[in-house]
Amino acid sequence: MPRESKQARLSRMHQEYAVLCEEIPHPKCALNFSNPFELLVATVLSAQTTDKRVNMVTPELFDEYPEPAALASANPEHVESIIHSIGFYRTKAKNIIRLSYALCERFDGEVPQTMDALTSLPGVGRKTANVVLGNAFGVPGFPVDTHVIRVTGRLRWRSDWASGSPDPKAIEREITACFPPEEWTDLSHRLILHGRAICHARKPDCLNCPLNDNCPSAFAA
């Protein structure tokens, strides 16, 4: 592919995103939740585990521990027994108990609505905070997960697309600079859903990809 100017890349990004909007008109978070606390806990549990698997354990977890105060005082072994089918369940059990305790001690049992406050909680990184901000509070957030990293790299939406160890925070900064804040949450959802359905890690389905006419990586993998 010939060298592309920044303006040309930006124009292509918006054209490709318009296609994704047509293909995925109503994106939504794949995690099941009924309040910000449930989404926060579910997102922490989802690290290196599928959302589908998390959705299988959270109904029992939230039935037993419906609010931060209950989970803060939970027996770690009991929490482990509920979530044992997901990856790193022991560490995650400790983290969701500790973050629940922190919510009670520092935020009166309420999930905070700022990036700094959320990331001060045990086990909560920037990606998790962005998920909660965008989906629970309607605050612009752009979660960068493995799908977002892969798809934005293959589409060459970012300058470090060839890097073997891209920085998620740098990706968030570069991609969000190209789209209005009100689009950030849905943009992330659409990239994730496209990555899951079409742009697979090992063998992308370029033949059936709606972006294959413009994608610099089409049919190359």
Side-chain angles (χ1 to χ4, degrees), residues 27-56:
K28 67 175 184 177
C29 181
L31 293 168
N32 297 332
F33 68 98
S34 60
N35 57 58
F37 173 66
E38 289 186 0
L39 179 58
L40 175 60
V41 170
T43 307
V44 170
L45 295 179
S46 72
Q48 297 179 288
T49 303
T50 65
D51 293 342
K52 181 178 180 180
R53 175 60 63 181
V54 173
N55 289 338
M56 292 173 67

PDB file of all heavy atoms in Angstrom, residues 27-56:
ATOM      1  N   PRO A  27     -24.863  -1.631  18.580  1.00  0.00           N
ATOM      2  CA  PRO A  27     -23.882  -2.320  19.422  1.00  0.00           C
ATOM      3  C   PRO A  27     -24.202  -2.150  20.900  1.00  0.00           C
ATOM      4  O   PRO A  27     -24.800  -1.151  21.303  1.00  0.00           O
ATOM      5  CB  PRO A  27     -22.570  -1.618  19.069  1.00  0.00           C
ATOM      6  CG  PRO A  27     -22.995  -0.227  18.721  1.00  0.00           C
ATOM      7  CD  PRO A  27     -24.314  -0.391  18.011  1.00  0.00           C
ATOM      8  N   LYS A  28     -23.828  -3.143  21.683  1.00  0.00           N
ATOM      9  CA  LYS A  28     -24.018  -3.017  23.121  1.00  0.00           C
ATOM     10  C   LYS A  28     -22.993  -3.863  23.846  1.00  0.00           C
ATOM     11  O   LYS A  28     -22.372  -4.756  23.262  1.00  0.00           O
ATOM     12  CB  LYS A  28     -25.438  -3.426  23.533  1.00  0.00           C
ATOM     13  CG  LYS A  28     -25.753  -4.889  23.339  1.00  0.00           C
ATOM     14  CD  LYS A  28     -27.145  -5.209  23.885  1.00  0.00           C
ATOM     15  CE  LYS A  28     -27.442  -6.703  23.787  1.00  0.00           C
ATOM     16  NZ  LYS A  28     -28.760  -7.038  24.383  1.00  0.00           N
ATOM     17  N   CYS A  29     -22.850  -3.590  25.107  1.00  0.00           N
ATOM     18  CA  CYS A  29     -21.908  -4.331  25.942  1.00  0.00           C
ATOM     19  C   CYS A  29     -22.347  -5.793  26.016  1.00  0.00           C
ATOM     20  O   CYS A  29     -23.527  -6.100  26.210  1.00  0.00           O
ATOM     21  CB  CYS A  29     -21.865  -3.718  27.334  1.00  0.00           C
ATOM     22  SG  CYS A  29     -20.709  -4.515  28.471  1.00  0.00           S
ATOM     23  N   ALA A  30     -21.388  -6.703  25.872  1.00  0.00           N
ATOM     24  CA  ALA A  30     -21.703  -8.133  25.894  1.00  0.00           C
ATOM     25  C   ALA A  30     -21.863  -8.686  27.305  1.00  0.00           C
ATOM     26  O   ALA A  30     -22.344  -9.809  27.480  1.00  0.00           O
ATOM     27  CB  ALA A  30     -20.619  -8.916  25.160  1.00  0.00           C
ATOM     28  N   LEU A  31     -21.464  -7.916  28.302  1.00  0.00           N
ATOM     29  CA  LEU A  31     -21.613  -8.351  29.690  1.00  0.00           C
ATOM     30  C   LEU A  31     -23.004  -8.004  30.202  1.00  0.00           C
ATOM     31  O   LEU A  31     -23.510  -6.907  29.954  1.00  0.00           O
ATOM     32  CB  LEU A  31     -20.554  -7.682  30.576  1.00  0.00           C
ATOM     33  CG  LEU A  31     -19.104  -8.084  30.318  1.00  0.00           C
ATOM     34  CD1 LEU A  31     -18.160  -7.138  31.041  1.00  0.00           C
ATOM     35  CD2 LEU A  31     -18.861  -9.524  30.763  1.00  0.00           C
ATOM     36  N   ASN A  32     -23.617  -8.927  30.920  1.00  0.00           N
ATOM     37  CA  ASN A  32     -24.941  -8.690  31.505  1.00  0.00           C
ATOM     38  C   ASN A  32     -24.793  -7.955  32.838  1.00  0.00           C
ATOM     39  O   ASN A  32     -24.004  -8.372  33.691  1.00  0.00           O
ATOM     40  CB  ASN A  32     -25.679 -10.004  31.720  1.00  0.00           C
ATOM     41  CG  ASN A  32     -25.954 -10.736  30.422  1.00  0.00           C
ATOM     42  OD1 ASN A  32     -26.073 -10.122  29.371  1.00  0.00           O
ATOM     43  ND2 ASN A  32     -26.062 -12.054  30.488  1.00  0.00           N
ATOM     44  N   PHE A  33     -25.565  -6.893  33.017  1.00  0.00           N
ATOM     45  CA  PHE A  33     -25.511  -6.129  34.267  1.00  0.00           C
ATOM     46  C   PHE A  33     -26.795  -5.338  34.424  1.00  0.00           C
ATOM     47  O   PHE A  33     -27.475  -5.037  33.439  1.00  0.00           O
ATOM     48  CB  PHE A  33     -24.302  -5.190  34.294  1.00  0.00           C
ATOM     49  CG  PHE A  33     -24.382  -4.058  33.298  1.00  0.00           C
ATOM     50  CD1 PHE A  33     -24.813  -2.792  33.678  1.00  0.00           C
ATOM     51  CD2 PHE A  33     -24.008  -4.250  31.971  1.00  0.00           C
ATOM     52  CE1 PHE A  33     -24.895  -1.747  32.766  1.00  0.00           C
ATOM     53  CE2 PHE A  33     -24.081  -3.214  31.037  1.00  0.00           C
ATOM     54  CZ  PHE A  33     -24.514  -1.955  31.443  1.00  0.00           C
ATOM     55  N   SER A  34     -27.110  -4.994  35.659  1.00  0.00           N
ATOM     56  CA  SER A  34     -28.300  -4.194  35.920  1.00  0.00           C
ATOM     57  C   SER A  34     -27.982  -2.896  36.655  1.00  0.00           C
ATOM     58  O   SER A  34     -28.874  -2.072  36.864  1.00  0.00           O
ATOM     59  CB  SER A  34     -29.327  -5.000  36.724  1.00  0.00           C
ATOM     60  OG  SER A  34     -28.791  -5.406  37.963  1.00  0.00           O
ATOM     61  N   ASN A  35     -26.723  -2.705  37.036  1.00  0.00           N
ATOM     62  CA  ASN A  35     -26.316  -1.471  37.707  1.00  0.00           C
ATOM     63  C   ASN A  35     -24.800  -1.312  37.572  1.00  0.00           C
ATOM     64  O   ASN A  35     -24.098  -2.259  37.177  1.00  0.00           O
ATOM     65  CB  ASN A  35     -26.756  -1.460  39.185  1.00  0.00           C
ATOM     66  CG  ASN A  35     -26.221  -2.662  39.945  1.00  0.00           C
ATOM     67  OD1 ASN A  35     -25.018  -2.883  40.019  1.00  0.00           O
ATOM     68  ND2 ASN A  35     -27.127  -3.463  40.532  1.00  0.00           N
ATOM     69  N   PRO A  36     -24.261  -0.128  37.886  1.00  0.00           N
ATOM     70  CA  PRO A  36     -22.817   0.105  37.720  1.00  0.00           C
ATOM     71  C   PRO A  36     -21.934  -0.859  38.518  1.00  0.00           C
ATOM     72  O   PRO A  36     -20.878  -1.264  38.030  1.00  0.00           O
ATOM     73  CB  PRO A  36     -22.651   1.548  38.214  1.00  0.00           C
ATOM     74  CG  PRO A  36     -23.967   2.190  37.935  1.00  0.00           C
ATOM     75  CD  PRO A  36     -24.985   1.119  38.232  1.00  0.00           C
ATOM     76  N   PHE A  37     -22.370  -1.230  39.721  1.00  0.00           N
ATOM     77  CA  PHE A  37     -21.573  -2.157  40.520  1.00  0.00           C
ATOM     78  C   PHE A  37     -21.439  -3.507  39.818  1.00  0.00           C
ATOM     79  O   PHE A  37     -20.346  -4.081  39.747  1.00  0.00           O
ATOM     80  CB  PHE A  37     -22.212  -2.331  41.905  1.00  0.00           C
ATOM     81  CG  PHE A  37     -21.565  -3.401  42.739  1.00  0.00           C
ATOM     82  CD1 PHE A  37     -20.254  -3.271  43.180  1.00  0.00           C
ATOM     83  CD2 PHE A  37     -22.277  -4.546  43.088  1.00  0.00           C
ATOM     84  CE1 PHE A  37     -19.653  -4.277  43.947  1.00  0.00           C
ATOM     85  CE2 PHE A  37     -21.691  -5.550  43.850  1.00  0.00           C
ATOM     86  CZ  PHE A  37     -20.374  -5.413  44.279  1.00  0.00           C
ATOM     87  N   GLU A  38     -22.530  -4.013  39.285  1.00  0.00           N
ATOM     88  CA  GLU A  38     -22.479  -5.300  38.592  1.00  0.00           C
ATOM     89  C   GLU A  38     -21.588  -5.223  37.361  1.00  0.00           C
ATOM     90  O   GLU A  38     -20.824  -6.153  37.080  1.00  0.00           O
ATOM     91  CB  GLU A  38     -23.892  -5.747  38.206  1.00  0.00           C
ATOM     92  CG  GLU A  38     -24.748  -6.167  39.394  1.00  0.00           C
ATOM     93  CD  GLU A  38     -26.093  -6.735  38.972  1.00  0.00           C
ATOM     94  OE1 GLU A  38     -26.361  -6.798  37.754  1.00  0.00           O
ATOM     95  OE2 GLU A  38     -26.879  -7.106  39.863  1.00  0.00           O
ATOM     96  N   LEU A  39     -21.664  -4.123  36.626  1.00  0.00           N
ATOM     97  CA  LEU A  39     -20.818  -3.983  35.448  1.00  0.00           C
ATOM     98  C   LEU A  39     -19.342  -3.902  35.841  1.00  0.00           C
ATOM     99  O   LEU A  39     -18.484  -4.510  35.195  1.00  0.00           O
ATOM    100  CB  LEU A  39     -21.205  -2.746  34.643  1.00  0.00           C
ATOM    101  CG  LEU A  39     -20.349  -2.485  33.394  1.00  0.00           C
ATOM    102  CD1 LEU A  39     -20.388  -3.672  32.434  1.00  0.00           C
ATOM    103  CD2 LEU A  39     -20.794  -1.214  32.693  1.00  0.00           C
ATOM    104  N   LEU A  40     -19.050  -3.177  36.900  1.00  0.00           N
ATOM    105  CA  LEU A  40     -17.670  -3.053  37.364  1.00  0.00           C
ATOM    106  C   LEU A  40     -17.101  -4.423  37.721  1.00  0.00           C
ATOM    107  O   LEU A  40     -16.010  -4.795  37.276  1.00  0.00           O
ATOM    108  CB  LEU A  40     -17.606  -2.113  38.574  1.00  0.00           C
ATOM    109  CG  LEU A  40     -16.242  -1.965  39.259  1.00  0.00           C
ATOM    110  CD1 LEU A  40     -15.202  -1.421  38.286  1.00  0.00           C
ATOM    111  CD2 LEU A  40     -16.363  -1.055  40.486  1.00  0.00           C
ATOM    112  N   VAL A  41     -17.829  -5.182  38.507  1.00  0.00           N
ATOM    113  CA  VAL A  41     -17.362  -6.504  38.923  1.00  0.00           C
ATOM    114  C   VAL A  41     -17.248  -7.436  37.720  1.00  0.00           C
ATOM    115  O   VAL A  41     -16.251  -8.146  37.554  1.00  0.00           O
ATOM    116  CB  VAL A  41     -18.309  -7.106  39.986  1.00  0.00           C
ATOM    117  CG1 VAL A  41     -17.968  -8.577  40.246  1.00  0.00           C
ATOM    118  CG2 VAL A  41     -18.229  -6.308  41.281  1.00  0.00           C
ATOM    119  N   ALA A  42     -18.249  -7.431  36.858  1.00  0.00           N
ATOM    120  CA  ALA A  42     -18.239  -8.308  35.685  1.00  0.00           C
ATOM    121  C   ALA A  42     -17.055  -7.997  34.774  1.00  0.00           C
ATOM    122  O   ALA A  42     -16.436  -8.898  34.212  1.00  0.00           O
ATOM    123  CB  ALA A  42     -19.547  -8.186  34.919  1.00  0.00           C
ATOM    124  N   THR A  43     -16.741  -6.721  34.631  1.00  0.00           N
ATOM    125  CA  THR A  43     -15.634  -6.336  33.759  1.00  0.00           C
ATOM    126  C   THR A  43     -14.296  -6.772  34.349  1.00  0.00           C
ATOM    127  O   THR A  43     -13.413  -7.243  33.618  1.00  0.00           O
ATOM    128  CB  THR A  43     -15.635  -4.817  33.510  1.00  0.00           C
ATOM    129  OG1 THR A  43     -16.926  -4.412  33.045  1.00  0.00           O
ATOM    130  CG2 THR A  43     -14.598  -4.443  32.463  1.00  0.00           C
ATOM    131  N   VAL A  44     -14.142  -6.647  35.649  1.00  0.00           N
ATOM    132  CA  VAL A  44     -12.927  -7.146  36.303  1.00  0.00           C
ATOM    133  C   VAL A  44     -12.798  -8.652  36.088  1.00  0.00           C
ATOM    134  O   VAL A  44     -11.714  -9.168  35.786  1.00  0.00           O
ATOM    135  CB  VAL A  44     -12.940  -6.805  37.807  1.00  0.00           C
ATOM    136  CG1 VAL A  44     -11.808  -7.531  38.538  1.00  0.00           C
ATOM    137  CG2 VAL A  44     -12.815  -5.301  38.022  1.00  0.00           C
ATOM    138  N   LEU A  45     -13.902  -9.356  36.199  1.00  0.00           N
ATOM    139  CA  LEU A  45     -13.882 -10.810  36.007  1.00  0.00           C
ATOM    140  C   LEU A  45     -13.583 -11.200  34.569  1.00  0.00           C
ATOM    141  O   LEU A  45     -13.081 -12.305  34.307  1.00  0.00           O
ATOM    142  CB  LEU A  45     -15.226 -11.416  36.425  1.00  0.00           C
ATOM    143  CG  LEU A  45     -15.611 -11.315  37.901  1.00  0.00           C
ATOM    144  CD1 LEU A  45     -16.992 -11.944  38.127  1.00  0.00           C
ATOM    145  CD2 LEU A  45     -14.575 -11.992  38.794  1.00  0.00           C
ATOM    146  N   SER A  46     -13.873 -10.322  33.612  1.00  0.00           N
ATOM    147  CA  SER A  46     -13.771 -10.680  32.191  1.00  0.00           C
ATOM    148  C   SER A  46     -12.353 -10.672  31.648  1.00  0.00           C
ATOM    149  O   SER A  46     -12.118 -11.120  30.523  1.00  0.00           O
ATOM    150  CB  SER A  46     -14.638  -9.734  31.356  1.00  0.00           C
ATOM    151  OG  SER A  46     -14.071  -8.439  31.297  1.00  0.00           O
ATOM    152  N   ALA A  47     -11.395 -10.178  32.424  1.00  0.00           N
ATOM    153  CA  ALA A  47     -10.016 -10.149  31.947  1.00  0.00           C
ATOM    154  C   ALA A  47      -9.531 -11.560  31.620  1.00  0.00           C
ATOM    155  O   ALA A  47      -9.628 -12.467  32.449  1.00  0.00           O
ATOM    156  CB  ALA A  47      -9.110  -9.512  33.007  1.00  0.00           C
ATOM    157  N   GLN A  48      -9.042 -11.745  30.393  1.00  0.00           N
ATOM    158  CA  GLN A  48      -8.507 -13.032  29.931  1.00  0.00           C
ATOM    159  C   GLN A  48      -9.530 -14.168  30.052  1.00  0.00           C
ATOM    160  O   GLN A  48      -9.178 -15.326  30.259  1.00  0.00           O
ATOM    161  CB  GLN A  48      -7.219 -13.378  30.680  1.00  0.00           C
ATOM    162  CG  GLN A  48      -6.093 -12.376  30.413  1.00  0.00           C
ATOM    163  CD  GLN A  48      -4.831 -12.684  31.172  1.00  0.00           C
ATOM    164  OE1 GLN A  48      -4.769 -12.514  32.385  1.00  0.00           O
ATOM    165  NE2 GLN A  48      -3.813 -13.131  30.458  1.00  0.00           N
ATOM    166  N   THR A  49     -10.795 -13.801  29.963  1.00  0.00           N
ATOM    167  CA  THR A  49     -11.900 -14.761  30.007  1.00  0.00           C
ATOM    168  C   THR A  49     -12.995 -14.236  29.076  1.00  0.00           C
ATOM    169  O   THR A  49     -13.156 -13.033  28.931  1.00  0.00           O
ATOM    170  CB  THR A  49     -12.468 -14.880  31.439  1.00  0.00           C
ATOM    171  OG1 THR A  49     -11.434 -15.260  32.335  1.00  0.00           O
ATOM    172  CG2 THR A  49     -13.582 -15.904  31.515  1.00  0.00           C
ATOM    173  N   THR A  50     -13.749 -15.104  28.463  1.00  0.00           N
ATOM    174  CA  THR A  50     -14.806 -14.646  27.570  1.00  0.00           C
ATOM    175  C   THR A  50     -15.967 -14.033  28.350  1.00  0.00           C
ATOM    176  O   THR A  50     -16.255 -14.435  29.486  1.00  0.00           O
ATOM    177  CB  THR A  50     -15.352 -15.803  26.715  1.00  0.00           C
ATOM    178  OG1 THR A  50     -16.000 -16.762  27.562  1.00  0.00           O
ATOM    179  CG2 THR A  50     -14.225 -16.483  25.942  1.00  0.00           C
ATOM    180  N   ASP A  51     -16.632 -13.071  27.723  1.00  0.00           N
ATOM    181  CA  ASP A  51     -17.810 -12.465  28.336  1.00  0.00           C
ATOM    182  C   ASP A  51     -18.895 -13.515  28.574  1.00  0.00           C
ATOM    183  O   ASP A  51     -19.634 -13.453  29.554  1.00  0.00           O
ATOM    184  CB  ASP A  51     -18.355 -11.345  27.452  1.00  0.00           C
ATOM    185  CG  ASP A  51     -17.407 -10.157  27.367  1.00  0.00           C
ATOM    186  OD1 ASP A  51     -16.517 -10.042  28.232  1.00  0.00           O
ATOM    187  OD2 ASP A  51     -17.560  -9.340  26.434  1.00  0.00           O
ATOM    188  N   LYS A  52     -18.994 -14.456  27.652  1.00  0.00           N
ATOM    189  CA  LYS A  52     -19.992 -15.515  27.789  1.00  0.00           C
ATOM    190  C   LYS A  52     -19.780 -16.302  29.070  1.00  0.00           C
ATOM    191  O   LYS A  52     -20.733 -16.604  29.794  1.00  0.00           O
ATOM    192  CB  LYS A  52     -19.926 -16.450  26.580  1.00  0.00           C
ATOM    193  CG  LYS A  52     -20.947 -17.575  26.603  1.00  0.00           C
ATOM    194  CD  LYS A  52     -20.846 -18.433  25.346  1.00  0.00           C
ATOM    195  CE  LYS A  52     -21.869 -19.562  25.379  1.00  0.00           C
ATOM    196  NZ  LYS A  52     -21.767 -20.412  24.144  1.00  0.00           N
ATOM    197  N   ARG A  53     -18.523 -16.622  29.375  1.00  0.00           N
ATOM    198  CA  ARG A  53     -18.220 -17.358  30.596  1.00  0.00           C
ATOM    199  C   ARG A  53     -18.538 -16.526  31.833  1.00  0.00           C
ATOM    200  O   ARG A  53     -19.077 -17.029  32.818  1.00  0.00           O
ATOM    201  CB  ARG A  53     -16.752 -17.782  30.585  1.00  0.00           C
ATOM    202  CG  ARG A  53     -16.261 -18.460  31.860  1.00  0.00           C
ATOM    203  CD  ARG A  53     -17.014 -19.720  32.167  1.00  0.00           C
ATOM    204  NE  ARG A  53     -16.842 -20.729  31.128  1.00  0.00           N
ATOM    205  CZ  ARG A  53     -17.429 -21.924  31.184  1.00  0.00           C
ATOM    206  NH1 ARG A  53     -18.242 -22.223  32.201  1.00  0.00           N
ATOM    207  NH2 ARG A  53     -17.247 -22.798  30.209  1.00  0.00           N
ATOM    208  N   VAL A  54     -18.214 -15.232  31.787  1.00  0.00           N
ATOM    209  CA  VAL A  54     -18.516 -14.353  32.922  1.00  0.00           C
ATOM    210  C   VAL A  54     -20.023 -14.287  33.151  1.00  0.00           C
ATOM    211  O   VAL A  54     -20.495 -14.359  34.295  1.00  0.00           O
ATOM    212  CB  VAL A  54     -17.942 -12.938  32.683  1.00  0.00           C
ATOM    213  CG1 VAL A  54     -18.406 -11.975  33.781  1.00  0.00           C
ATOM    214  CG2 VAL A  54     -16.417 -12.991  32.645  1.00  0.00           C
ATOM    215  N   ASN A  55     -20.789 -14.175  32.067  1.00  0.00           N
ATOM    216  CA  ASN A  55     -22.253 -14.116  32.198  1.00  0.00           C
ATOM    217  C   ASN A  55     -22.846 -15.390  32.792  1.00  0.00           C
ATOM    218  O   ASN A  55     -23.972 -15.375  33.294  1.00  0.00           O
ATOM    219  CB  ASN A  55     -22.883 -13.849  30.831  1.00  0.00           C
ATOM    220  CG  ASN A  55     -22.646 -12.424  30.337  1.00  0.00           C
ATOM    221  OD1 ASN A  55     -22.381 -11.521  31.120  1.00  0.00           O
ATOM    222  ND2 ASN A  55     -22.728 -12.233  29.033  1.00  0.00           N
ATOM    223  N   MET A  56     -22.094 -16.463  32.759  1.00  0.00           N
ATOM    224  CA  MET A  56     -22.574 -17.719  33.329  1.00  0.00           C
ATOM    225  C   MET A  56     -22.419 -17.751  34.849  1.00  0.00           C
ATOM    226  O   MET A  56     -23.171 -18.438  35.543  1.00  0.00           O
ATOM    227  CB  MET A  56     -21.830 -18.900  32.706  1.00  0.00           C
ATOM    228  CG  MET A  56     -22.161 -19.127  31.236  1.00  0.00           C
ATOM    229  SD  MET A  56     -21.132 -20.397  30.453  1.00  0.00           S
ATOM    230  CE  MET A  56     -21.686 -21.869  31.328  1.00  0.00           C
TER     231      MET A  56
END
